[in-house]
Amino acid sequence: MAQVHPINAFNDNYIWAICEPKNHATWVVDPGQSQPVLQFLTEQKRQLTGILVTHHHWDHTDGIAELLLNFPDIPVYGPKDSPFKGITHTLSQGDSVTIAGEQYTIIQTPGHTLDHICYVNDIRAFTGDTLFSGGCGRLFEGTAEQMWSSLSALSELPDACEVYCTHEYTLANLEFAHAVEPDNSELRTYTTWAKQRREQELPTLPSTIGNERAINPFLRTNSRNILRRLPESLIAPTETQWQVFAKLRLWKDKF
């Protein structure tokens, strides 16, 4: 089974290194910086085999050009029709790709950006800036309905499926989650654990799909408790879960 390691980048990014245990082959997800990746490869005596891109934003792609100078023949997988032009192998909904000996399926997850994709199987999900622990990405290009649909697709993965997003936003997300659902006992327990992790300068990731369904307000749009906590300015007749999501996202943007 492949091993996944976090590589710190910028202030709060994680570049995930997917390593084959029986050889030196390594894939990286969303390398916004090259130097941390090159340092990891040198220290761990590993060989870069390929690159996975979830979407075109610079903090997920700016390190790719220099990595290719050092490893010129490796594939760069990423979304079809992406504004980022460095992708050599394009992927769409339902496509499959083998990474470090394991098969992943592509889920198109527009919302944060229109080109966003996630790499998923029953064991792991590399969710980029779509699903965070306790939160979700801002809507820079897509609609609230698109993002809710994307999150709903991810929430159907098995409870034990590990969630590898690309930012350490957990504590800030949990602060909002407590405002939305202050009586959630699982949220309180998880927050205590997350604070202890950050006090030790350890990642709060990966989370799991089961945990996110229990504590993440953006996956809990059918909760009556959440509906009761919406600010007065957002209270209005609501018919669909995506409309509840839209109100939560608007609240979070101003939180």
Side-chain angles (χ1 to χ4, degrees), residues 65-229:
E66 186 172 348
L67 291 175
L68 292 177
L69 291 177
N70 289 270
F71 302 92
D73 299 322
I74 63 173
V76 180
Y77 285 88
K80 183 180 180 181
D81 299 326
S82 176
F84 176 64
K85 301 306 179 185
I87 294 167
T88 62
H89 294 64
T90 60
L91 298 167
S92 300
Q93 176 74 22
D95 288 343
S96 295
V97 58
T98 300
I99 306 298
E102 299 174 354
Q103 190 173 44
Y104 289 83
T105 299
I106 302 306
I107 298 179
Q108 288 182 271
T109 53
H112 179 67
T113 64
L114 292 176
D115 68 328
H116 205 297
I117 61 173
C118 296
Y119 301 78
V120 309
N121 58 29
D122 286 349
I123 300 170
R124 300 186 185 96
F126 294 95
T127 61
D129 284 0
T130 296
L131 175 63
F132 297 129
S133 185
C136 71
R138 285 180 176 268
L139 305 181
F140 286 119
E141 296 176 6
T143 66
E145 188 169 9
Q146 285 177 314
M147 184 61 125
W148 181 81
S149 178
S150 297
L151 293 170
S152 296
L154 291 171
S155 72
E156 293 176 1
L157 293 167
D159 280 356
C161 180
E162 295 176 335
V163 177
Y164 293 85
C165 59
T166 46
H167 289 280
E168 183 58 71
Y169 289 165
T170 304
L171 291 184
N173 288 335
L174 295 181
E175 185 178 356
F176 174 71
H178 278 281
V180 174
E181 205 172 12
D183 298 326
N184 186 327
S185 60
E186 291 178 88
L187 175 59
R188 287 196 297 269
T189 299
Y190 181 60
T191 301
T192 298
W193 174 86
K195 286 180 177 178
Q196 292 171 346
R197 294 285 292 182
R198 296 310 295 151
E199 287 170 358
Q200 299 173 59
E201 298 184 353
L202 296 172
T204 59
L205 303 167
S207 181
T208 66
I209 291 294
N211 180 62
E212 294 309 308
R213 279 201 289 258
I215 63 93
N216 190 324
F218 296 107
L219 299 188
R220 296 174 57 77
T221 51
N222 61 348
S223 168
R224 292 184 178 181
N225 289 334
I226 287 178
L227 284 173
R228 286 196 291 265
R229 297 290 299 185

Side-chain angles (χ1 to χ4, degrees), residues 55-66:
H55 65 292
H56 67 270
H57 282 168
W58 66 270
D59 61 322
H60 297 249
T61 59
D62 269 11
I64 293 176
E66 186 172 348

